[in-house]
Amino acid sequence: LYIGTIEELGKSAATLPLIKDLAYLEGSYLRKTYEAIRLLEEAIAMPRAKPQLQAECKIALADVLVMTEEIWDASLLYSQVEKDFKYDRLGEQAKFKNAKISYYTGDFKWAKAQLDVLKGSTSKLIANDAMQLSLLITDNTGIDTTVNPLVMFANAELFSLQHQDSSALLFLDSINLLYPGHALADDILFQ
């Protein structure tokens, strides 16, 4: 349906939302990441496109790049959107996703600093998500605990996002084996 409509109407600023949605489906569910990246790069470079739609495409492209393990390229795109839409919902969304990259890579102090700023976000969903992740980091990086279980948990979340479920389960099971009774036990079960 998306492809037929885009072929019929052509690729233009008017069909940019359809292109973005098609790329999201290809990248997130069909695992056609190469096609999704190509579509999103075309959409970002499209003349006469609204800056907000281009920013949404940058966020979508960064999401796909996270799935293909191009973490730092994704972080760069999130940072661009965050800078261009500093006082907008898009900027807050990009900042949150960038904080999650820091979390995935084990830079918990930086992630927590960014998340603490986002707790006052105008969007309740972003504020709640930021508070939840900030609390997870705080609860598992205390003075008397090692950060290794949290690093493993963050890796499991990243693998889950990348649809590498067997690797995610391996990390989650390993936490329970290596650190029995750890504070993450409930989070592991939920994950």
Side-chain angles (χ1 to χ4, degrees), residues 3-185:
I3 295 170
T5 305
I6 292 169
E7 285 175 357
E8 184 178 323
L9 298 176
K11 291 180 181 176
S12 68
T15 58
L16 196 58
L18 292 174
I19 295 168
K20 179 180 68 81
D21 291 346
L22 173 61
Y24 175 76
L25 287 172
E26 286 182 338
S28 296
Y29 295 103
L30 301 177
R31 297 184 189 169
K32 295 181 178 180
T33 54
Y34 176 77
E35 292 87 347
I37 290 169
R38 184 184 51 77
L39 275 173
L40 290 165
E41 286 175 342
E42 282 179 33
I44 291 166
M46 197 164 291
R48 295 187 305 275
K50 293 180 182 176
Q52 187 157 358
L53 270 174
Q54 285 179 319
E56 289 174 10
C57 288
K58 281 184 180 182
I59 289 174
L61 176 57
D63 291 346
V64 173
L65 290 174
V66 168
M67 293 174 66
T68 61
E69 298 184 33
E70 296 179 49
I71 302 285
W72 303 116
D73 291 336
S75 180
L76 179 63
L77 286 169
Y78 290 141
S79 295
Q80 288 173 1
V81 174
E82 180 186 341
K83 181 181 173 229
D84 293 343
F85 291 87
K86 191 176 248 179
Y87 303 107
D88 188 85
R89 175 194 56 83
L90 277 175
E92 291 174 346
Q93 181 182 12
K95 186 177 194 110
F96 176 72
K97 289 179 180 251
N98 220 355
K100 283 204 78 157
I101 284 180
S102 296
Y103 164 72
Y104 293 144
T105 59
D107 190 356
F108 300 124
K109 285 183 181 180
W110 179 250
K112 185 165 175 3
Q114 296 302 304
L115 293 166
D116 288 345
V117 168
L118 285 168
K119 286 195 251 181
S121 171
T122 55
S123 166
K124 286 205 180 282
L125 289 175
I126 291 173
N128 289 342
D129 289 345
M131 185 169 39
Q132 183 179 8
L133 187 54
S134 177
L135 286 172
L136 179 76
I137 292 170
T138 300
D139 290 348
N140 293 286
T141 57
I143 297 170
D144 61 340
T145 184
T146 177
V147 295
N148 290 341
L150 187 58
V151 169
M152 293 171 73
F153 188 78
N155 285 328
E157 282 194 82
L158 180 59
F159 283 131
S160 179
L161 178 74
Q162 295 170 339
H163 302 291
Q164 297 180 30
D165 297 330
S166 58
S167 296
L169 288 172
L170 180 66
F171 268 89
L172 293 173
D173 288 342
S174 296
I175 297 169
N176 279 334
L177 290 173
L178 296 171
Y179 305 95
H182 192 273
L184 281 169

